[in-house]
Amino acid sequence: MFENNYPNSSFPADEPRTQTSGYHPRDEVDNDYSRPSDSDSDLRFPKRPRLTKPSIRKKPKMRIPKKENGVGSSTNGVSTTSNGSSQIITNGQVSALTSPQNPRREELVRLMVQAMQDMGYSKSATQLEKESGFLLESSAVAKFRDGVLKGEWDLVESLFPTLELDQNQDIVIVRFLIRQQKYLELLERREIKLALYTLRSELTPLAFNTERLHLLSSFIMYSNAEDLRRRAEWDGAKGTSRQKLLLEIQKYISPSIMVPEHRLESLLEQATTLQRISCLYHNSDKYISLYSDHVCDRSQFPSKTTHIFERHKDEVWYVAFSNNGKFLASASKDKTAIIWSLETLDYVHELKAHTDCVSFLSWSPDDTKILTCGQDNEIKLWSVESGECLTTLKKHLYPVTACAWLPDGLRFISGSQDKDTHLWTLDGTILYTWTGARIMDLAINKEGTRMVAICHDEKLHIYNIETRKEEAIMDENAKLTSICLSSDCKYALVNLSTREIHLWDIEERRIVRKYYGQKQEKFVIRSCFGGIDQGFIVSGSEGLYKSSMILC
């Protein structure tokens, strides 16, 4: 949207939408727009999956059973046979689920029974089991589940043969988990002799996890149940420990024997997630219905100009929305910054005090103040309400390229080409100075504990604001023009002068995605995350000269 004829300046430009970012679940994008990074060449990024109608196997023509004693009918596409079975007819074809040999039939019925029980429809679940002949779980498995929840440990172990456990390893792990729970419950009831017997005669002979055994033996020293629960990080027999134990045991039992909890709900969630991932233009938080395939239309993207702000007399180099979304501020080569109202679409204050181009600005967390900086080596603090310049800071010796507030609204950081990065208070006191890097841009995480900056020497710097130490330096392969942090502060979006955008994983300190397509040669281009869940990246590109701003 905004363009710049000053090669060392900071400003956003026209912002066409690019494909989705690499860190987002919707990360399979067209290779023309995105390629795996050189540092991660073994990664594979397949084409975005597309939802298509499932192919239905051709079935022989359905035979309508003859009426027997007046029985035999077809209603609403369901044909009921004389033995009570049914065939589902959709668009003239028979559903594959009608075949008794289809394994999906039993699986679906069992999942439906479990879902009905979860929703409180126990009588309906029992009737479905009776009518279909498929039980959610065998009586032995039901006894096992009940035994774990009731603490009947001898019964639980006697039912192991019904669980089809791996005799070499899994059965040892499951025995250990059960006997550990038994041991802790005995200690909780202060039955020390029985607890010692369990430890020595039941747990130790398993020869499993010696380190854990040593820790369990130390729990005998605690004089009361409260200390035991705190030290063991365990909430006791009356808490959720038995439910957690059952969930842990289920990891070693075939899901066909004991169906995982809330399985149908989990599958439905996976289905809607897949549809959301597969939707190229997904940019909504609306509920995704199960009744139809989910598709977002491209037209929902902001692509039409709704207003043009015209007051600057030269290029606009930087813009930023206020945190409450009611205002917009712009910095310009014409030596001014302007605060605009998004309600009236008119300017509120024109900030005139800089003696050279204004290249950057930043709103305070409460939107009552705004910082501006630029080519005159100065930082100015303004009142948003009055438009008055409150303070001018003149410690930098070269142009100030970026500034950012800490969450408390009482401190901020400025970066400059003079190799000094200052931590300030509102009264102009410098609390600390990082030296050595000619800063081109910087960003601070939401907690105010970490700063990520890019410098003239093609490097990313990570600083710990609390300890004042530099945590890491990451090398790039071209001049860097801007940086933007994701909302969770795990990823950094970096623009390069080589027409590339790199997505960095800040924690792992590696490039996870590279984007190509925008034009960038001699001007500063800025990119940012976009979309309701930051599933997109918005990038500027060089074009024609403009000194106005376009709101889309």
Side-chain angles (χ1 to χ4, degrees):
M1 296 180 186
F2 317 99
E3 289 164 4
N4 186 347
N5 291 329
Y6 197 93
N8 293 323
S9 64
S10 303
F11 75 103
D14 292 344
E15 301 181 348
R17 305 274 174 163
T18 70
Q19 301 299 313
T20 57
S21 65
Y23 80 97
H24 189 268
R26 183 171 60 257
D27 62 357
E28 286 77 27
V29 299
D30 294 339
N31 290 332
D32 290 340
Y33 291 88
S34 175
R35 308 171 193 167
S37 67
D38 297 334
S39 60
D40 240 349
S41 59
D42 59 328
L43 295 179
R44 295 293 181 266
F45 300 98
K47 291 281 188 179
R48 182 184 307 283
R50 300 290 183 182
L51 290 182
T52 58
K53 292 185 179 179
S55 59
I56 301 177
R57 301 173 189 169
K58 291 185 178 180
K59 294 288 182 178
K61 292 184 178 179
M62 183 185 68
R63 299 176 59 186
I64 306 297
K66 297 180 179 179
K67 292 186 179 181
E68 297 181 7
N69 298 326
V71 179
S73 61
S74 179
T75 307
N76 295 330
V78 180
S79 173
T80 306
T81 63
S82 58
N83 63 3
S85 65
S86 62
Q87 292 181 319
I88 309 301
I89 306 173
T90 305
N91 296 327
Q93 293 182 307
V94 180
S95 168
L97 291 174
T98 61
S99 172
Q101 288 76 35
N102 190 335
R104 285 278 186 268
R105 184 185 180 101
E106 178 180 350
E107 291 176 354
L108 182 58
V109 170
R110 292 178 68 190
L111 295 181
M112 290 169 64
V113 169
Q114 185 191 57
M116 287 179 174
Q117 292 178 351
D118 290 344
M119 293 185 289
Y121 303 136
S122 299
K123 291 182 180 179
S124 298
T126 301
Q127 181 63 27
L128 179 56
E129 285 183 314
K130 181 179 179 181
E131 187 174 345
S132 66
F134 299 129
L135 298 177
L136 172 60
E137 54 192 19
S138 68
S139 59
V141 172
K143 287 180 181 179
F144 178 85
R145 182 188 299 274
D146 193 54
V148 172
L149 297 177
K150 290 182 178 179
E152 299 174 352
W153 309 120
D154 292 338
L155 171 64
V156 167
E157 292 205 34
S158 70
L159 293 170
F160 277 2
T162 66
L163 304 179
E164 300 182 9
L165 293 167
D166 184 336
Q167 297 296 315
N168 295 326
Q169 180 65 19
D170 290 352
I171 195 169
V172 174
I173 298 174
V174 174
R175 284 190 191 279
F176 185 89
L177 293 171
I178 289 171
R179 292 174 183 180
Q180 174 182 247
Q181 178 75 14
K182 175 182 177 181
Y183 168 73
L184 291 172
E185 290 188 13
L186 288 170
L187 285 180
E188 185 182 36
R189 296 197 300 267
R190 307 309 298 159
E191 297 181 26
I192 305 301
K193 289 185 179 180
L194 285 176
L196 276 172
Y197 177 83
T198 301
L199 180 66
R200 293 171 179 172
S201 304
E202 297 181 12
L203 279 166
T204 303
L206 294 176
F208 177 78
N209 201 340
T210 304
E211 184 178 348
R212 180 64 179 172
L213 275 175
H214 291 161
L215 180 63
L216 291 173
S217 64
S218 69
F219 294 156
I220 295 178
M221 306 301 296
Y222 300 127
S223 58
N224 57 68
E226 184 178 348
D227 284 344
L228 169 68
R229 289 191 289 266
R230 185 177 65 256
R231 299 286 184 173
E233 298 179 351
W234 175 76
D235 63 359
K238 294 182 179 180
T240 61
S241 63
R242 290 178 180 175
Q243 288 87 344
K244 292 178 180 178
L245 172 63
L246 186 60
L247 289 175
E248 187 65 24
I249 291 173
Q250 275 193 271
K251 296 177 182 178
Y252 304 95
I253 301 174
S254 170
S256 64
I257 302 297
M258 183 182 287
V259 179
E261 285 192 343
H262 316 301
R263 182 58 183 163
L264 183 57
E265 181 181 351
S266 175
L267 289 173
L268 294 178
E269 182 62 30
Q270 291 177 32
T272 56
T273 299
L274 175 60
Q275 293 197 49
R276 187 169 58 250
I277 293 172
S278 303
C279 180
L280 179 62
Y281 301 110
H282 185 78
N283 190 33
S284 171
D285 59 355
K286 292 182 179 179
Y287 170 76
I288 296 179
S289 173
L290 298 172
Y291 293 134
S292 61
D293 291 344
H294 172 75
V295 178
C296 289
D297 192 86
R298 182 177 182 176
S299 62
Q300 73 179 44
F301 272 79
S303 56
K304 295 181 180 179
T305 300
T306 60
H307 188 75
I308 299 178
F309 296 94
E310 295 182 289
R311 191 172 179 85
H312 285 294
K313 298 177 179 61
D314 211 327
E315 299 167 3
V316 178
W317 285 1
Y318 191 82
V319 293
F321 287 99
S322 61
N323 298 290
N324 61 18
K326 294 181 179 180
F327 299 95
L328 179 68
S330 58
S332 173
K333 184 182 177 181
D334 66 8
K335 307 177 186 179
T336 70
I338 298 178
I339 299 175
W340 311 83
S341 170
L342 295 179
E343 296 176 349
T344 65
L345 298 179
D346 200 358
Y347 84 98
V348 178
H349 298 295
E350 189 169 0
L351 312 180
K352 296 180 178 180
H354 284 279
T355 58
D356 207 336
C357 313
V358 182
S359 59
F360 203 94
L361 54 82
S362 180
W363 290 86
S364 65
D366 61 2
D367 292 327
T368 61
K369 301 176 184 67
I370 196 167
L371 290 168
T372 60
C373 56
Q375 303 296 315
D376 58 4
N377 309 346
E378 296 180 353
I379 305 168
K380 293 186 182 294
L381 177 66
W382 305 81
S383 167
V384 172
E385 182 178 4
S386 65
E388 176 188 359
C389 182
L390 304 176
T391 306
T392 298
L393 308 174
K394 300 182 179 181
K395 297 293 184 180
H396 285 294
L397 303 178
Y398 285 90
V400 185
T401 52
C403 55
W405 292 84
L406 270 68
D408 58 14
L410 302 175
R411 296 170 295 163
F412 60 90
I413 295 176
S414 64
S416 170
Q417 295 180 12
D418 63 6
K419 296 188 177 182
D420 286 341
T421 303
H422 297 312
L423 173 62
W424 304 81
T425 62
L426 291 180
D427 62 4
T429 301
I430 296 178
L431 299 176
Y432 188 79
T433 298
W434 293 272
T435 61
R438 296 184 186 274
I439 301 299
M440 302 302 294
D441 197 2
L442 62 85
I444 298 174
N445 66 354
K446 292 187 297 184
E447 295 76 22
T449 58
R450 178 181 284 181
M451 172 178 61
V452 184
I454 57 174
C455 73
H456 184 268
D457 296 325
E458 304 176 6
K459 299 178 185 296
L460 282 79
H461 301 261
I462 300 178
Y463 299 95
N464 187 309
I465 297 175
E466 295 178 333
T467 64
R468 313 290 200 249
K469 293 182 179 180
E470 187 173 47
E471 294 183 346
I473 300 177
M474 291 98 78
D475 292 322
E476 269 288 6
N477 55 12
K479 296 295 182 183
L480 310 178
T481 61
S482 71
I483 187 169
C484 177
L485 291 181
S486 60
S487 59
D488 59 8
C489 302
K490 293 181 179 179
Y491 300 90
L493 199 62
V494 180
N495 266 64
L496 283 74
S497 60
T498 52
R499 302 188 181 189
E500 297 180 17
I501 304 171
H502 292 179
L503 184 70
W504 279 84
D505 185 316
I506 297 300
E507 300 301 326
E508 297 184 7
R509 296 169 187 174
R510 66 186 182 94
I511 298 173
V512 294
R513 179 75 69 174
K514 292 183 179 181
Y515 300 88
Y516 302 81
Q518 90 281 7
K519 181 180 179 181
Q520 180 171 355
E521 295 179 351
K522 58 182 179 179
F523 300 139
V524 172
I525 301 294
R526 294 184 180 275
S527 299
C528 66
F529 296 95
I532 196 164
D533 55 357
Q534 294 205 326
F536 297 89
I537 287 174
V538 186
S539 174
S541 184
E542 291 186 16
L544 297 175
Y545 171 93
K546 291 180 182 178
S547 60
S548 59
M549 297 189 301
I550 300 174
L551 179 63
C552 295

